[in-house]
Amino acid sequence: MKKIWEFIKKEPMLVVSVLAALISLFITPPSLNTLKSIDWHTLGTLFMMLTVLEGFKQENLFNPILRISSRFSTMATLSLFLIFGVFFSSMFVTNDVSLIIFVPLTILLFRGAGREECILPVITMENIAAIRGSLLMPFGSPQNLFIFEQSDVSALHFILHMSPLCIVSAILLIIFVLFYFRKELKKHIHVDTDSVTKPWDKKRRVQRISCLVLFVMILFTIVSRTKYWPVAVAIVIVTVAVVNIKLFKAVDYVLLVTFLCFFIFSSSIAANPSIGGFLEKWVAGREYWWVIGLSQIISNVPASIVLFPFTENTAGLIYGADTAGLVSLIGSLASVINYRIYVRAYPEKGVKFIKTFTLISLIFFAIVVIPGFFLSVYWKW
């Protein structure tokens, strides 16, 4: 029992997702449609990014960004650089990918600066930046991409309607950072990049070039929305197997299984006729609150997929989906990624992460939730 409890404390998100998937299979018996409705595209993309960025870490390819970060002389400016790095990059490479890139960098930099106590608040604000920055673009997040592809609006129309939320969120993030570091705005810090960077090994030039080429290919696959993404996955697998097969051992497979279980849950729920009839009756006109609530059970990507067929106001659905990730850890799959990255560095601090994340995110949610609702009502698609 002690070992089981220790595992639950170490991997709470995995336990929740597995239980949810198992329960859903009793609600709707598994079939071939269950497998077909799983978002294999997202899982494949996530696998590629986890694998290649693990290669970035092992080959020290983040060194240039680490050195640029060392030029910032205060914790506030360094934090703003990292947070808005997530904010803007999430618009183009999706929110989960931006977190995979910047959260490990934040941990390395704050360790180098001797400020590990600031890691949790800052990566929580990076999480908010990923959720709120990515909402601007049609391909900024999986739910944005799904809703955009299902609707008949243009990319310009989409960006125009999402820009008020994005701009307000950017201003709030600046205020949050300045408030958190209010007592040391002018206090100088020194980031010891030498302690967190290692020189490039000349003998591993092929490995470094391979990681960079694969990373560019993955970004192209994400941005172009090509239907040939399985080919990209195959290329990553074959290249890594040839160049550095040990890299596969470092991939966070727990995160992939967690995502898979959430997708099984959402597809099983959506396939149930009784649940479908209930949603058809109650969702239309209440999309904003429905997607926020359902996302706390199955996360915002599956919730968007489940609710879209019953939606009359697309703005309500997408505004709610892009706000749902601020309520709880389960609300956004990007948040689950952030959690996994942190607990791999600090295995004993999973509960502390959840407490800090929930507190800061809920404060942000409380500020933006009502304006987002009124915007969805009076600026419908």
Side-chain angles (χ1 to χ4, degrees), residues 107-137:
I107 294 172
L108 284 172
L109 285 166
F110 283 21
R111 280 176 173 173
R115 298 298 302 270
E116 288 185 270
E117 77 278 5
C118 298
I119 291 176
L120 263 178
V122 172
I123 67 172
T124 296
M125 286 186 272
E126 287 177 359
N127 203 108
I128 295 171
I131 293 170
R132 304 301 282 182
S134 64
L135 61 78
L136 182 66
M137 295 293 182

Side-chain angles (χ1 to χ4, degrees), residues 360-381:
I360 297 175
S361 290
L362 279 178
I363 293 172
F364 201 97
F365 172 77
I367 296 172
V368 302
V369 63
I370 299 302
F373 170 68
F374 283 116
L375 192 62
S376 71
V377 170
Y378 296 106
W379 206 4
K380 294 182 179 182
W381 290 15

Side-chain angles (χ1 to χ4, degrees), residues 40-41 44-45 47-48 217 228-238:
W40 297 107
H41 184 186
T45 303
F47 168 75
M48 289 191 292
M217 182 197 69
Y228 298 111
W229 62 266
V231 176
V233 175
I235 291 173
V236 169
I237 292 173
V238 172

Side-chain angles (χ1 to χ4, degrees), residues 24-25 37 80 93 110 168 181 188 246 329 352 365 378:
S24 70
L25 293 179
S37 59
L80 285 171
V93 299
F110 283 21
V168 170
F181 292 108
H188 288 267
K246 293 182 179 179
L329 192 61
K352 187 175 181 181
F365 172 77
Y378 296 106

Side-chain angles (χ1 to χ4, degrees), residues 87-95 133-134 137 139-140 219 222-223:
F87 188 83
F88 290 111
S89 65
S90 66
M91 297 176 185
F92 303 98
V93 299
T94 74
N95 50 19
S134 64
M137 295 293 182
F139 44 77
L219 292 184
I222 294 170
V223 174

Side-chain angles (χ1 to χ4, degrees), residues 22-213:
L22 290 174
I23 292 171
S24 70
L25 293 179
F26 284 100
I27 296 174
T28 305
S31 65
L32 188 60
N33 287 331
T34 304
L35 290 175
K36 289 181 179 179
S37 59
I38 293 172
D39 191 349
W40 297 107
H41 184 186
T42 296
L43 289 173
T45 303
L46 182 58
F47 168 75
M48 289 191 292
M49 289 303 304
L50 289 173
T51 304
V52 172
L53 289 175
E54 187 63 39
F56 269 54
K57 286 192 288 184
Q58 292 188 13
E59 303 302 331
N60 302 300
L61 288 172
F62 288 125
N63 283 1
I65 299 178
L66 291 171
R67 292 194 178 99
I68 292 172
S69 302
S70 67
R71 299 176 184 175
F72 294 93
S73 59
T74 67
M75 285 299 295
T77 54
L78 175 59
S79 299
L80 285 171
F81 168 74
L82 294 167
I83 289 167
F84 279 91
V86 174
F87 188 83
F88 290 111
S89 65
S90 66
M91 297 176 185
F92 303 98
V93 299
T94 74
N95 50 19
D96 45 10
V97 173
S98 65
L99 289 172
I100 293 172
I101 295 171
F102 279 92
V103 172
L105 289 176
T106 303
I107 294 172
L108 284 172
L109 285 166
F110 283 21
R111 280 176 173 173
R115 298 298 302 270
E116 288 185 270
E117 77 278 5
C118 298
I119 291 176
L120 263 178
V122 172
I123 67 172
T124 296
M125 286 186 272
E126 287 177 359
N127 203 108
I128 295 171
I131 293 170
R132 304 301 282 182
S134 64
L135 61 78
L136 182 66
M137 295 293 182
F139 44 77
S141 64
Q143 70 270 15
N144 279 21
L145 182 56
F146 169 77
I147 295 172
F148 174 70
E149 289 182 339
Q150 297 298 318
S151 61
D152 58 356
V153 300
S154 66
L156 181 61
H157 181 93
F158 185 99
I159 294 170
L160 178 65
H161 276 73
M162 304 305 286
S163 57
L165 300 180
C166 188
I167 294 169
V168 170
S169 297
I171 294 171
L172 285 174
L173 281 167
I174 294 172
I175 294 172
F176 270 48
V177 172
L178 295 179
F179 177 79
Y180 181 72
F181 292 108
R182 63 192 181 280
K183 294 182 180 179
E184 51 179 307
L185 288 176
K186 297 181 179 180
K187 183 180 178 181
H188 288 267
I189 60 165
H190 171 67
V191 181
D192 184 9
T193 53
D194 292 335
S195 67
V196 295
T197 58
K198 297 179 181 178
W200 287 342
D201 186 347
K202 295 181 179 179
K203 296 179 181 180
R204 299 187 64 81
R205 187 167 177 265
V206 172
Q207 286 83 349
R208 289 195 297 274
I209 293 174
S210 298
C211 285
L212 289 169
V213 171

